[in-house]
Amino acid sequence: MNRHGPEPANSSATSDVTADITQDAVVIVPGIMGSELYDTVTQKTIWGLSGVSWLLKAWTRPKGLEPLRLTPEELEGKTTRIKPTQLMRHSSWTPYLQGFEPYTNLINAVQGCVADSAAVLEFAYDWRLPVAVNGHLLAEAARRHLTAWRLHPAHDAARRNRVDERPARLVFVAHSMGGLVTRAALDAPYDGALADDTRAVLTLGTPFYGAVKAAAILNTGRGAPVPLPHRQLQSISATMPGLHDLLPQYACLIDGNDVRRLTPSDVTGIGGNAELAQAAVEFQEKQANVRLPGHWAVAGTNQATMQSLTIRDGVVYPHQHGARQHTSGDFIRDSRGGLRFYDVKGDGTVYKDSAAVGPAVTPLPLQHGAVASDRVALKAVAEILRDDEHLGPPQGAPGCGLDVPDLVEVGTAWSITLSGVDSLAGLRCEIADVAGQNPQVIKAGWGDGQIKARTTVNIPGLYRVTVRTIDGHTITQLVLASEAGATREVE
């Protein structure tokens, strides 16, 4: 006898609740410097080791990054020396590009949406090489992955629990440069049927039209002494095809009262390689018409971002604004014929208009290195994988901009600047090491019309600055702190 009355109709005693998972195969494609690299000759990991001590040694010792330099043989296409092993599992740091959060949260989010871990391919690649090369490798890997997953027992079980019961298709989840690699993979010459076998492409902070910051990296050291880490990045990037593939492919060079695109000779003049620049231009022009099936773009916003540049005597002067064009193609000008400039911001590395490409865009107030780990971005990933309609981020004021140095010294105070907020109410700023240990609240206040804070760290390492705003958004950025004098200026 049931003393408590009849069981409700939706009770688990009478029916099972099936998890909302996809039958599709998912490919996660990281961004530049987002894959660990292993040197098969020296048998050493040359990029992506855990621990802050490795980062400090790599960036603050002369030639600490020399193993990353492309050899003449690699530039000729013989690329067997370096083996990509896995996606980055640790927080990392790079001058200019600053902090990179690990892909652990993204991987976990994807794993929670698939029928079996075998449905997920983590595509690590040698990001030093041309996007075209890695696109070809991705096309081959994605085809093998889809074929293997369709033969997996868990695939058929997942199909039976889906409304359409269709066979698996591919879903690409790509961060930063990974979106360019994905677009290259979907180009018909590699695999004419791969696009048809793809249900969706989700890009997170992908610079479809390039980034001015790539030009700034190539120009490091021109005209003034710079810290050693910045000089080392320029040295290995000068002949790196992958970095040249990120150069801006839009009219960004302010030339008198006009704006034009960078030419290969411009790139040579600022410290790059003319042949690699020309190859990048030709490749990007071919890629312009490649279709991304079911494309959804997440674009970082509200962060101060380089959008244009001028060049004087071989020195790049980046600007946090850019010119815009009418539908006729003419640049917007004032009544006297002068160019009008607009600041559309971005994610600190990729300006918004370069990442916000496609029929569906979700803007989020995030720094570039954190786009692939933010909870709202991960919610978008999950909903797209489950084939639901993503409704965008929560409504309300869109967070704030966060500007911090990329490199500091222990014992020396440095500044944090916030933008896009007009009140200290509900604002919380703190700093902790990347392990989350020893968090300290940083008091913010007004200065020069902006909200600012100053802080000091006393131990070398990698630190995370976290800002929470009253609207519920969290913005983070990583800062590398070195010993005093370790980042000496070099001529």
Side-chain angles (χ1 to χ4, degrees), residues 8-9 41 84 92 95 118 121 128 148 228 260 267 277 307 320 324 331 333 383 402 413 425 429 453-454 471 479:
V41 176
S92 190
L121 170 64
R128 306 171 310 145
L228 179 59
R260 61 178 177 83
V267 174
Q307 298 158 57
Q320 294 176 359
R324 280 186 164 179
F331 286 103
R333 298 178 182 273
E383 291 182 352
L402 171 62
C429 183
R454 286 183 67 78
D471 53 26
V479 180

Side-chain angles (χ1 to χ4, degrees), residues 91-93 98-101 404-406 434 462-465 476-480:
S91 298
S92 190
W93 177 91
Q98 297 183 275
F100 291 92
E101 297 291 1
V404 301
D406 60 355
V434 288
L462 192 61
Y463 292 83
R464 181 179 292 108
V465 176
T476 64
Q477 183 57 288
L478 299 181
V479 180
L480 185 69

Side-chain angles (χ1 to χ4, degrees), residues 380-450:
V381 171
E383 291 182 352
I384 288 171
L385 288 178
R386 291 169 174 148
D387 210 10
D388 291 333
E389 181 181 0
H390 179 56
L391 301 179
Q395 297 300 305
C400 71
L402 171 62
D403 187 20
V404 301
D406 60 355
L407 179 66
V408 299
E409 292 187 351
V410 297
T412 301
W414 45 277
S415 296
I416 298 167
T417 303
L418 307 182
S419 60
V421 284
D422 55 13
S423 173
L424 293 171
L427 193 68
R428 181 180 176 84
C429 183
E430 66 179 35
I431 185 171
D433 63 31
V434 288
Q437 301 298 312
N438 306 313
Q440 296 182 13
V441 175
I442 306 171
K443 184 177 180 180
W446 286 97
D448 299 326
Q450 293 179 300

Side-chain angles (χ1 to χ4, degrees), residues 5-181:
E7 292 284 351
N10 62 348
S11 170
S12 58
T14 57
S15 62
D16 292 328
V17 176
T18 302
D20 186 12
I21 56 177
T22 180
Q23 74 269 47
D24 287 325
V26 184
V27 184
I28 303 175
V29 191
I32 189 170
M33 296 187 168
S35 302
E36 296 182 10
L37 301 182
Y38 178 78
D39 191 323
T40 60
V41 176
T42 63
Q43 298 185 343
K44 294 181 179 180
T45 298
I46 63 172
W47 179 259
L49 287 170
S50 63
V52 174
S53 61
W54 170 78
L55 267 178
L56 289 168
K57 289 177 182 177
W59 287 110
T60 63
R61 286 185 176 180
K63 297 188 177 180
L65 296 176
E66 196 63 22
L68 288 174
R69 187 184 301 280
L70 275 88
T71 64
E73 291 77 18
E74 288 174 318
L75 289 171
E76 292 176 358
K78 301 174 183 177
T79 58
T80 57
R81 177 177 72 95
I82 300 301
K83 178 182 178 182
T85 52
Q86 64 176 359
L87 274 59
M88 293 287 284
R89 281 342 196 240
H90 317 285
S91 298
S92 190
W93 177 91
T94 300
Y96 288 108
L97 301 176
Q98 297 183 275
F100 291 92
E101 297 291 1
Y103 288 102
T104 311
N105 290 344
L106 176 60
I107 294 168
N108 291 340
V110 171
Q111 291 283 5
C113 300
V114 297
D116 189 274
S117 60
V120 182
L121 170 64
E122 300 174 29
F123 181 73
Y125 62 93
D126 186 349
W127 35 264
R128 306 171 310 145
L129 304 180
V131 166
V133 170
N134 287 315
H136 195 176
L137 295 174
L138 175 58
E140 295 175 343
R143 174 58 66 194
R144 290 193 300 269
H145 178 54
L146 180 60
T147 300
W149 172 240
R150 284 176 172 175
L151 296 174
H152 196 283
H155 169 250
D156 285 338
R159 287 178 61 187
R160 288 193 293 271
N161 290 318
R162 300 292 282 181
V163 174
D164 55 11
E165 296 188 65
R166 61 171 174 79
R169 298 174 73 192
L170 287 163
V171 177
F172 290 90
V173 180
H175 176 229
S176 188
M177 177 191 272
L180 303 181
V181 175

Side-chain angles (χ1 to χ4, degrees), residues 241-391:
L243 194 281
H244 285 74
D245 279 331
L246 297 179
L247 286 167
Q249 301 296 323
Y250 61 95
C252 66
L253 177 58
I254 302 172
D255 189 358
N257 196 33
D258 205 354
V259 186
R260 61 178 177 83
R261 295 176 59 173
L262 285 172
T263 66
S265 61
D266 292 326
V267 174
T268 301
I270 64 174
N273 182 283
E275 292 183 4
L276 295 179
Q278 182 61 40
V281 169
E282 294 174 357
F283 177 70
Q284 296 293 351
E285 288 177 348
K286 293 177 182 177
Q287 292 286 289
N289 296 320
V290 175
R291 179 178 66 91
L292 295 179
H295 183 207
W296 196 296
V298 172
T301 59
N302 271 25
Q303 312 306 312
T305 306
M306 300 177 186
Q307 298 158 57
S308 64
L309 65 132
T310 52
I311 300 176
R312 294 196 299 272
D313 299 323
V315 179
V316 168
Y317 296 89
H319 309 295
Q320 294 176 359
H321 58 63
R324 280 186 164 179
Q325 293 169 288
H326 293 288
T327 54
S328 64
D330 296 329
F331 286 103
I332 300 175
R333 298 178 182 273
D334 60 27
S335 59
R336 294 178 293 179
L339 290 166
R340 287 189 179 276
F341 295 104
Y342 301 82
D343 180 8
V344 300
K345 299 189 182 295
D347 63 17
T349 293
V350 182
Y351 95 113
K352 187 183 73 174
D353 289 357
S354 186
V357 173
V361 178
T362 294
L364 292 175
L366 300 172
Q367 288 279 345
H368 185 73
V371 171
S373 62
D374 178 77
R375 63 179 181 83
V376 179
L378 296 182
K379 185 174 184 290
V381 171
E383 291 182 352
I384 288 171
L385 288 178
R386 291 169 174 148
D387 210 10
D388 291 333
E389 181 181 0
H390 179 56
L391 301 179

